């Protein structure tokens, strides 16, 4: 083994102030010193730990042994400073320790000191000694470095501590009790005592006693002999054991596993145990229960039989093949059939013929495993009558088990109640019809009085021309008022023929606001709050505008012509439940009119939409304005709501379902100037079943310059038109006719002759009320000769290809 050290200092003066020695004496001293160093190096080399000798305040390496090199790695040590050899020790405190030992002369020692060498990824642990070296005068000339690499010991101790900690954590967290017993034997090898050397927290929870460290004889001198013999046998033989036993000292049953651990001479036994007292009690209870089970079953069976026999409800068991297997006496009491008669025939034989398909379907569902609760059908009584039965049937174990109730009386009561409700509805309907008839008769009699009186005066030949024009104007105005009255009634009844179109509500509300401002007068301030983005609905624009005007007039009258009326549009609103009708979460356009009037009394809110109902004095209204709003809203798929507080005004909100935006494309003819009502010899086929109206209509058209042919029904019209239209330029048909109606005729003509224009006329049609005119031109009755001429002239206007016979 090579020793590592530097040479001895020279004997002669080297100019550095060191004294010169006698040459002969120097040689002798040099030999002794070298021998001493050799002996020192031999001793250091044989030491089990690492050794190094540092010289001077800079800590120059003078010597390192192989153990030092093995730890630090192969480096250039001798003649270099610690800082040069170990630059990685900067900031680890070793430089400062060396300087302190050299400066103070006090040694330094530490155990398991961490050190990080440059070629390693983890810290090492060393026991380290820095011992100052002195000369003959006691001056520190160097430092002896010695120590041991204890990394593995430190890591092993840490692993051991970690293992012990995990072991302790595991034991402490177990719900199972654990302890280590130290057995004590007598001279004959018989266990006479044992000590609880160690126990986890579950030990105290399981036993109810904290006896760790105590001998059994100290806390349970009367413990059963079984425990000593069992644990002693495990300690002596090393054979593990698993058993259950009761410990009277704890008053509990335990499930126990025991095994010997450690040196057999120590007689130590590890025990794992669980408290099974609850389980044992349940087993005992189950044993007692099983012992009396037969008696209990007999008792329960007797009770069930009593219920089965005495119940007035019907119990039965049936097969999936359609036969009753078992039933209680209530069947005979209810239906009059004997048990043998009911069990001997398929149950469908007793079911009312009308109920057999539903009963078969229910039986098939039961066969598929689907319960049938509250299924009702009729069973035949022995006397030929039928009883309504309500079944609650479930499939189980290949059979049908059912409880059945006689609901005949309940059904009869329900029918009687429905009949009474229907009678009440009819009574209310007749009352409403009476009120409506009275209102219609009153208003129409007023209108007819004006017309009758005017006609009487017009028959006078001496009537001046000015007065004749005045009476003619009165008749014309009265007809318009009658038409408006009829329209309002149809609107309330949701039977008016609408012409729906898609339009931007906000734009129309702004436009109607100007008209409302004129209607309400200067003392009513109209405020409009409409969002900037468009909001589209599909409705009859004319009826929409009329509804807003009617609500505005109602608000004006409520405010007595003075106040503020606010029009607000909300887009994408949900429609709440209104007057008992379900609401909707779909998107609605909500147009609200809020006034500053006295409000609507709570007892009148439910009646304000009734036709002819009004709180205004005579002459200020017919009571049909709000009913028109109600009918228009319902017929358009929406509703109208009102909220009011006394003294705080009222808010009427019209809800209309939103619709997708549509590109606006109008018929070019609509933009043309109104056509002249005078015809140019066009051929018109008039289809009208009413003799007076048909005769009058053909006469009007002839006076306007049209050639007319009259058919009294749609079938005759199709025959006259033939396969190619027979030269007719336009068909003018009533909608409501016997047989094929006018709308069906128009569809058939559109299919056969798409180029032939069709104009429909109607005063009322439930078909048109449910939808619209399906793209056909529609003229509302009553119509004037001028209106009829204009529309016929427009659809048969010059430029349209003429049809030839």
């Amino acid at each position: 083994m090579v020793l590592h050290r530097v040479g001895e200092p020279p004997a002669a003066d080297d100019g550095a102030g060191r004294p010169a020695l006698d040459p002969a004496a120097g040689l002798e001293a040099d030999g002794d010193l070298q021998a001493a160093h050799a002996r020192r190096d031999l001793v250091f080399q044989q030491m089990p730990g690492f050794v190094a000798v540092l010289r001077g305040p800079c800590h120059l390496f003078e010597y390192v042994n192989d153990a030092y090199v093995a730890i630090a790695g192969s480096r250039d040590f001798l003649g270099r400073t610690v800082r040069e050899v170990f630059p990685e020790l900067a900031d680890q405190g070793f430089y400062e320790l060396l300087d302190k030992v050299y400066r103070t002369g006090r040694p330094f020692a530490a155990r398991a000191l961490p050190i990080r060498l440059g070629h390693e990824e983890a810290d090492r642990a060393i026991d380290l000694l820095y011992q100052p070296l002195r000369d003959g005068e006691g001056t520190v000339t160097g430092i002896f470095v010695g120590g041991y690499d204890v990394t593995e010991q430190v890591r092993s101790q840490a692993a051991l501590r970690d293992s012990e900690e995990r072991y302790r954590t595991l034991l402490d967290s177990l719900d199972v009790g654990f302890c280590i017993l130290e057995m004590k034997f007598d001279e004959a090898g018989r266990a006479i005592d044992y000590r609880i050397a160690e126990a986890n927290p579950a030990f105290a929870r399981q036993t109810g006693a904290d006896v760790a460290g105590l001998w059994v004889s100290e806390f349970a001198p009367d413990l059963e002999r079984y425990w000593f013999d069992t644990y002693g046998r495990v300690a002596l033989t090393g054979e593990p054991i698993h058993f259950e036993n009761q410990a009277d000292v704890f008053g509990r049953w335990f499930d126990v596993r025991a095994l010997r651990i450690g040196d057999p001479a120590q007689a130590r036994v590890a025990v794992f145990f669980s408290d099974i007292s609850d389980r044992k009690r349940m087993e005992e209870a189950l044993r007692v229960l099983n012992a009396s089970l037969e008696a209990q079953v007999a008792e329960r069976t007797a009770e069930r039989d009593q219920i089965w026999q005495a119940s007035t409800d019907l119990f039965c068991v049936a097969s999936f093949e359609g036969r009753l297997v078992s039933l209680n006496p209530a069947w005979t009491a209810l239906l009059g059939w004997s048990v043998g008669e009911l069990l001997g025939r398929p149950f469908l034989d007793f079911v009312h013929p009308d109920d057999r398909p539903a009963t078969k379907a229910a039986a098939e569902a039961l066969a598929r495993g689907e319960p049938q609760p509250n299924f009702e059908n009729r069973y035949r009584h022995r006397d030929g009558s039928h009883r309504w039965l309500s079944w609650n049937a479930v499939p189980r174990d290949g059979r049908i088990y059912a409880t059945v109730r006689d609901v005949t009386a309940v059904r009869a009561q329900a029918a009687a109640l429905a009949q009474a409700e229907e009678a009440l509805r009819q009574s209310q309907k007749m009352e409403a019809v009476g009120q409506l008839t009275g209102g219609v008769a009153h208003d129409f009699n007023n209108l007819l009085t004006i017309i009758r009186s005017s006609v009487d005066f017009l028959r006078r030949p001496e009537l001046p021309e000015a007065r004749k024009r005045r009476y003619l104007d009165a008749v014309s105005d009265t007809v318009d008022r009658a038409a408006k009255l009829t329209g309002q009634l149809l609107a309330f009844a949701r039977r008016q023929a609408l012409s729906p179109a898609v339009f931007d509500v906000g734009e129309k509300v702004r436009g109607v606001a100007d008209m409302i401002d004129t209607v309400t007068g200067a003392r009513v301030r109209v405020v409009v709050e409409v969002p900037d983005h468009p909001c589209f609905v599909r409705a009859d624009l004319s009826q929409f505008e009329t509804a807003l005007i009617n609500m505005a007039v109602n608000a004006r009258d409520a405010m007595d012509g003075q106040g503020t009326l606010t029009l607000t549009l909300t887009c994408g609103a949900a429609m709440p439940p209104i007057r008992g009708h379900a609401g909707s979460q779909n998107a609605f356009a909500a147009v609200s009119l809020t006034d500053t009037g006295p409000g609507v009394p709570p007892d009148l809110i439910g009646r304000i939409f009734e036709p002819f109902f009004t709180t205004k004095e005579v002459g200020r209204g017919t009571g049909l304005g709000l009913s028109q709003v109600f009918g228009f809203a319902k017929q358009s798929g929406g509703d109208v709501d009102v909220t009011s507080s006394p003294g705080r005004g009222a808010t009427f909100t019209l809800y209309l379902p939103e619709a997708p935006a549509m590109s606006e494309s109008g018929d070019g003819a609509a933009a043309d100037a109104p056509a002249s009502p005078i015809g140019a010899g066009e051929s018109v086929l008039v289809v009208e079943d009413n003799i007076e109206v048909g005769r009058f209509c053909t006469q009007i058209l002839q006076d306007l310059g049209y050639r007319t042919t009259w058919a009294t029904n749609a079938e005759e019209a199709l025959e006259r038109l033939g396969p190619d239209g027979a030269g007719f330029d336009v068909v003018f048909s009533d909608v409501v006719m016997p047989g094929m109606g006018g709308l069906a005729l128009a569809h058939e003509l559109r299919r056969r002759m798409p180029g032939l224009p069709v104009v429909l006329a109607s005063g009322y049609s439930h078909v048109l009320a449910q939808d619209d005119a399906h793209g056909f031109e529609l003229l509302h009755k009553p119509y004037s000769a001028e209106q009829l001429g204009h529309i016929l002239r427009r659809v048969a206007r010059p430029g349209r290809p003429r049809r030839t016979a």
Side-chain angles (χ1 to χ4, degrees):
M1 187 64 65
V2 178
L3 302 181
H4 306 277
R5 59 185 177 85
V6 296
E8 305 301 330
D13 183 5
D14 58 0
R18 288 188 291 270
L21 302 176
D22 177 70
L27 290 174
E28 183 178 354
D30 182 59
D32 294 340
L33 184 60
Q34 288 181 357
H37 282 177
R39 289 193 299 273
R40 181 199 68 180
D41 293 348
L42 181 61
V43 172
F44 286 170
Q45 192 62 37
Q46 294 176 353
M47 292 181 65
F50 59 85
V51 174
V53 178
L54 306 177
R55 289 294 181 182
C58 294
H59 316 305
L60 289 169
F61 278 98
E62 182 180 279
Y63 171 81
V64 293
N65 68 351
D66 287 346
Y68 195 99
V69 175
I71 295 173
S74 179
R75 307 187 187 215
D76 188 7
F77 291 100
L78 302 183
R80 301 180 67 203
T81 67
V82 170
R83 286 179 170 83
E84 293 172 340
V85 175
F86 293 102
E88 68 268 25
L89 296 183
D91 300 328
Q92 295 191 44
F94 291 96
Y95 301 159
E96 293 78 8
L97 284 174
L98 289 170
D99 291 340
K100 183 176 180 181
V101 170
Y102 192 91
R103 184 177 67 254
T104 64
R106 289 193 296 271
F108 169 79
R111 289 189 177 277
L113 189 67
I115 183 172
R116 176 69 64 88
L117 298 176
H119 62 282
E120 296 179 346
E121 297 180 355
D123 288 348
R124 282 181 173 271
I126 58 174
D127 290 346
L128 182 63
L129 171 66
Y130 284 163
Q131 179 67 44
L133 300 176
R134 302 177 186 273
D135 58 12
E137 298 177 356
T139 302
V140 176
T141 61
I143 298 175
F144 171 81
V145 180
Y148 298 92
D149 183 358
V150 293
T151 303
E152 293 304 321
Q153 296 93 313
V154 169
R155 290 176 180 171
S156 297
Q157 291 171 358
L160 179 60
R161 287 193 302 271
D162 183 58
S163 176
E164 290 177 346
E165 183 177 350
R166 288 199 301 272
Y167 164 77
R168 176 54 55 190
T169 301
L170 176 62
L171 290 182
D172 289 349
S173 62
L174 284 177
D175 289 332
V176 176
F178 169 78
C179 64
I180 296 177
L181 310 180
E182 293 180 353
M183 302 303 299
K184 184 178 181 181
F185 297 91
D186 61 11
E187 295 178 355
R190 187 183 186 196
I192 58 174
D193 203 355
Y194 57 82
R195 187 174 71 90
I196 312 297
E198 183 180 344
N200 71 339
F203 181 97
R205 294 196 300 269
Q206 296 278 356
T207 64
D210 186 4
V211 293
L214 300 180
W215 291 89
V216 171
S217 58
E218 296 177 333
F219 64 86
D222 299 327
L223 184 65
E224 297 88 343
R225 182 70 221 168
Y226 173 85
W227 299 97
F228 296 97
D229 292 342
T230 301
Y231 292 146
R233 186 167 56 254
V234 172
L236 293 176
T237 65
E239 296 178 1
I241 190 172
H242 179 205
F243 63 93
E244 294 179 358
N245 197 38
Q246 184 176 14
D248 291 337
V249 67
F250 298 116
R252 304 184 185 191
W253 274 84
F254 293 103
D255 178 287
V256 183
R257 295 177 184 271
L259 68 156
R260 186 177 69 191
I261 60 172
D263 188 349
Q266 294 179 326
R268 294 166 65 87
V269 178
V271 179
F272 295 88
F273 63 93
S274 298
D275 182 0
I276 58 172
S277 302
D278 290 341
R279 195 192 81 194
K280 284 295 183 180
R281 283 191 290 270
M282 291 190 333
E283 289 176 353
E284 177 63 17
L286 182 61
R287 186 189 65 79
V288 174
L289 179 61
N290 288 335
S292 61
L293 181 59
E294 185 175 351
Q296 293 181 27
V297 169
E299 182 181 354
R300 296 292 185 272
T301 302
E303 292 175 353
R304 190 210 65 176
D305 289 344
Q306 290 177 3
I307 296 174
W308 180 274
Q309 296 292 330
S311 176
T312 57
D313 284 342
L314 286 69
F315 301 145
C316 72
V317 180
S319 67
F320 290 135
E321 289 73 29
R323 290 185 178 272
L324 294 170
V325 176
S326 176
L327 46 81
N328 67 333
W331 285 83
T332 298
L334 177 65
L335 298 177
W337 302 98
S338 68
V339 173
E341 290 172 324
L342 290 169
L343 296 181
R345 298 166 59 181
F347 57 70
L348 280 176
D349 289 353
F350 302 96
V351 176
H352 192 286
D354 294 344
D355 297 339
R356 286 175 184 172
T359 303
K360 288 181 180 178
E364 293 170 356
L366 285 165
R368 294 193 300 269
E370 302 172 5
Q372 298 295 306
N374 302 322
F375 172 76
E376 294 187 358
N377 62 3
R378 283 166 289 182
Y379 259 58
R380 180 163 50 92
H381 192 276
R382 192 179 184 88
D383 63 8
S385 62
H386 286 83
R387 302 289 188 272
W388 276 100
L389 303 182
S390 176
W391 296 70
N392 186 9
V394 294
R396 185 170 300 165
D397 301 330
R399 296 286 182 89
I400 300 171
Y401 295 84
T403 60
V404 189
R405 289 186 303 110
D406 177 16
V407 294
T408 305
V410 175
R411 297 280 298 222
Q413 292 172 358
L417 178 60
Q419 186 176 3
E421 290 176 347
E422 179 62 23
L424 177 61
R425 281 194 294 271
Q426 289 295 331
S427 174
Q428 292 173 336
K429 185 186 298 185
M430 293 306 297
E431 181 181 354
V433 169
Q435 179 179 345
L436 179 61
T437 303
V440 171
H442 177 268
D443 280 15
F444 264 97
N445 282 332
N446 290 339
L447 299 176
L448 292 175
T449 298
I450 297 174
I451 295 174
R452 179 69 177 269
S453 300
S454 298
V455 170
D456 287 343
F457 275 100
L458 289 171
R459 287 196 176 114
R460 296 181 179 182
E462 73 281 2
L463 190 68
E465 190 64 30
R467 295 186 66 187
K468 183 183 296 185
R469 284 196 301 273
R470 187 172 66 190
Y471 287 125
L472 287 173
D473 290 342
V475 171
S476 178
D477 292 343
T478 303
V479 170
D480 290 341
R481 289 168 58 191
K484 181 179 179 181
L485 177 62
T486 304
Q488 289 175 321
L489 290 171
L490 290 175
F492 169 75
R494 288 170 268 172
R495 292 296 187 269
Q496 59 182 337
L498 300 179
S499 300
V502 175
F503 59 87
D504 180 4
V505 185
E507 178 185 349
K508 301 306 177 185
V509 168
R510 293 189 190 95
V512 173
D514 295 336
M515 289 190 290
I516 291 176
D517 199 16
T518 303
V519 170
T520 55
R523 293 194 302 164
V524 175
R525 177 171 171 261
V526 179
V527 178
V528 180
E529 298 175 357
V530 176
D532 295 333
H533 57 85
C535 179
F536 294 95
V537 299
R538 186 175 185 271
D540 188 305
L541 177 58
S542 174
Q543 291 294 322
F544 172 74
E545 293 173 342
T546 300
L548 293 188
I549 294 294
N550 284 339
M551 288 192 291
V553 170
N554 184 73
R556 176 201 65 189
D557 295 343
M559 294 186 292
D560 199 18
Q562 182 174 357
T564 300
L565 178 61
T566 303
L567 280 75
T568 305
L569 171 62
T570 303
C571 302
M575 185 172 69
I578 300 174
R579 292 182 298 279
H581 296 278
S584 173
Q585 295 301 314
N586 295 331
F588 283 79
V591 183
S592 299
L593 280 79
T594 303
D595 62 59
T596 57
V600 182
D603 58 326
L604 298 182
I605 285 184
R607 301 191 59 194
I608 58 177
F609 294 109
E610 296 178 5
F612 298 109
F613 176 80
T614 180
T615 59
K616 303 172 186 177
E617 57 269 20
V618 177
R620 292 201 59 187
T622 64
L624 289 174
L626 292 181
S627 65
Q628 180 272 337
V629 179
F630 170 80
F632 162 69
K634 299 295 284 187
Q635 191 173 352
S636 301
D639 209 334
V640 59
D641 195 13
V642 57
T643 57
S644 178
S645 297
R648 297 185 179 180
T651 297
F652 286 80
T653 303
L654 174 63
Y655 291 94
L656 295 175
E658 290 191 17
M662 294 180 62
S663 58
E664 296 183 1
S665 58
D667 187 352
D672 297 342
S676 168
I678 305 303
E682 291 88 353
S683 179
V684 181
L685 176 60
V686 177
V687 187
E688 174 61 66
D689 65 307
N690 186 280
I691 302 299
E692 289 78 8
V693 176
R695 184 183 296 116
F696 186 71
C697 178
T698 55
Q699 184 62 53
I700 289 175
L701 292 177
Q702 291 173 6
D703 291 342
L704 290 174
Y706 294 93
R707 293 183 294 112
T708 62
T709 301
W710 178 17
T712 58
N713 55 59
E715 290 79 6
E716 181 185 351
L718 290 174
E719 183 178 350
R720 288 181 178 274
L721 287 168
D724 58 358
F728 288 103
D729 295 293
V730 62
V731 175
F732 177 52
S733 173
D734 190 17
V735 172
V736 180
M737 294 183 296
M740 177 185 288
L743 189 58
L745 171 64
H747 281 294
E748 181 64 18
L749 293 179
R750 175 182 286 175
R751 185 184 67 83
R752 293 187 186 183
M753 294 164 272
L756 179 63
V758 177
V759 178
L760 300 176
S762 175
Y764 157 71
S765 168
H766 70 282
V767 177
L768 298 180
Q770 292 170 359
D771 204 334
D772 50 37
H774 300 260
F776 298 104
E777 294 284 350
L778 179 64
L779 187 62
H780 292 277
K781 293 180 179 180
Y783 54 81
S784 67
E786 187 175 1
Q787 290 173 327
L788 176 58
H790 277 304
I791 195 169
L792 290 178
R793 185 66 170 161
R794 186 173 72 246
V795 300
R797 63 184 181 275
R800 187 185 296 273
R802 293 297 302 272
R803 302 179 59 84
T804 57

